[in-house]
Each structure stands twice: as structure tokens, then as C-alpha cells.
């Protein structure tokens, strides 16, 4: 029978795996296609803005249609229409630049970081070290529960109950 190649569940564990930076799929960066300006952006345009207490600022970015949902008469009392298209356009620009900066950052090289954080005097394991660790692990895993119980009694003395 012809064998199929492996189908890994965690491709990020592969050595050649390159992490992909998540990219937003929304069209309007001002409201993230929700129709309401993102709270951190609203705080830039509205002095002392508090998402939990203030009206929701409607996005009026040109070309953004998501805000029209918030125009129904039943909810207009909770919507703030003071942000004009120019302000929303500027907030959109600020958020886009923030995403550009985010994607420029490099991922931390975990191997280099682990080397910096290692205990003083430690060194990387060799293949022989890894083999010895695996052998010890296998030996420990093969010990029966009865043997563990007798070792526990010998070490601690008597019953634990």
C-alpha cells in the first residue's frame, strides 16, 4: 500500500514554519466595519471619552456603509453623530499606520531569548543528553503503580490516609 504523507495538526512546531502575522479583513479601519468608531480612536477625537458612559460615536468615514445600521430611529438616542467624515478619515489613517507598524515588528527569536534567559552555567543539550533524558523518562513511565506505592511508603513511612 502506498503511504500518505503525514498531516500535522500543529504546523507551527515544524522547524521551517514561518509565523504569519494576522491581517485585518475590514475595509474601514476607523470602525473595523462595525459602524461605531473604535473606543481608542474615539478617545483621540472626543475629550475624556468613556466607552461605558458616553454615546457611541457613529463612523462617517467616506465609503464606510456600516454606520448606516445605527441610523434607525429606535437607537439614535445612544449614537453620537458629531464626528464628521474628515475626522473619521483621519482616525482611519491613524489606525492604518498603527497596523503598518505592527506588521513591521519582527517576531522574537525564541531560541535566542531562551539562551538569554537560561540559568548561569547552563548549556544547550547535546543529542546524547536528549537521548539520556528520553531513556530516564521511559524508565520512570514504566514503573507500575504498585511499585510507586511501595516507594512512597518507604520514603514517607506508613500510610498516607
Amino acid at each position: 500500500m502506498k503511504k500518505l504523507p503525514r498531516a500535522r495538526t500543529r504546523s507551527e512546531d515544524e522547524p521551517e514554519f514561518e509565523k504569519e502575522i494576522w491581517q485585518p479583513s475590514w475595509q474601514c479601519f476607523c470602525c473595523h466595519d462595525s459602524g461605531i468608531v473604535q473606543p481608542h480612536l474615539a478617545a483621540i477625537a472626543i475629550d475624556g471619552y468613556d466607552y461605558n458612559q458616553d454615546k457611541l460615536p457613529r463612523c462617517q468615514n467616506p465609503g464606510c456603509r456600516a454606520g448606516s445600521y445605527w441610523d434607525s430611529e429606535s437607537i439614535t438616542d445612544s449614537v453620537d453623530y458629531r464626528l464628521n467624515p474628515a475626522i473619521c478619515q483621519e482616525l482611519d489613517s491613524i489606525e492604518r499606520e498603527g497596523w503598518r507598524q505592527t506588521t513591521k515588528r519582527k517576531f522574537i527569536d525564541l531560541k535566542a531569548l531562551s539562551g538569554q534567559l537560561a540559568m548561569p552555567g547552563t548549556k544547550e543539550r547535546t543529542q546524547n543528553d536528549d537521548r539520556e533524558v528520553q531513556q530516564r523518562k521511559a524508565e520512570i513511565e514504566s514503573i507500575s503503580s504498585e511499585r510507586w506505592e511501595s516507594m512512597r511508603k518507604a520514603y514517607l513511612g506508613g500510610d498516607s490516609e
Side-chain angles (χ1 to χ4, degrees), residues 36-149:
I36 297 299
V37 175
Q38 291 296 297
H40 68 282
L41 296 172
I44 294 171
I46 301 171
D47 189 36
Y49 177 75
D50 183 346
Y51 176 77
N52 295 314
Q53 296 179 352
D54 297 339
K55 289 184 174 187
L56 301 172
R58 182 196 185 278
C59 178
Q60 299 197 45
N61 196 6
C64 179
R65 303 285 174 252
S68 62
Y69 167 79
W70 297 93
D71 294 340
S72 78
E73 288 188 30
S74 61
I75 55 176
T76 54
D77 289 346
S78 61
V79 179
D80 184 350
Y81 290 91
R82 296 179 297 159
L83 299 184
N84 61 36
I87 293 172
C88 287
Q89 222 169 0
E90 188 174 345
L91 294 175
D92 181 272
S93 161
I94 290 168
E95 185 74 347
R96 284 179 193 274
E97 181 56 31
W99 273 102
R100 267 192 287 282
Q101 294 304 317
T102 299
T103 57
K104 282 182 183 177
R105 291 188 193 120
K106 302 270 188 219
F107 283 104
I108 297 172
D109 180 4
L110 292 178
K111 190 160 187 135
L113 181 62
S114 67
Q116 294 170 357
L117 298 176
M119 296 285 289
T122 60
K123 57 181 170 66
E124 276 195 45
R125 285 184 183 166
T126 64
Q127 283 183 330
N128 285 338
D129 293 337
D130 282 335
R131 196 173 16 258
E132 186 177 338
V133 167
Q134 290 302 320
Q135 186 177 357
R136 287 182 186 174
K137 181 177 181 273
E139 289 171 1
I140 290 170
E141 288 173 343
S142 68
I143 296 174
S144 69
S145 59
E146 294 82 18
R147 178 74 179 125
W148 277 117
E149 184 64 24

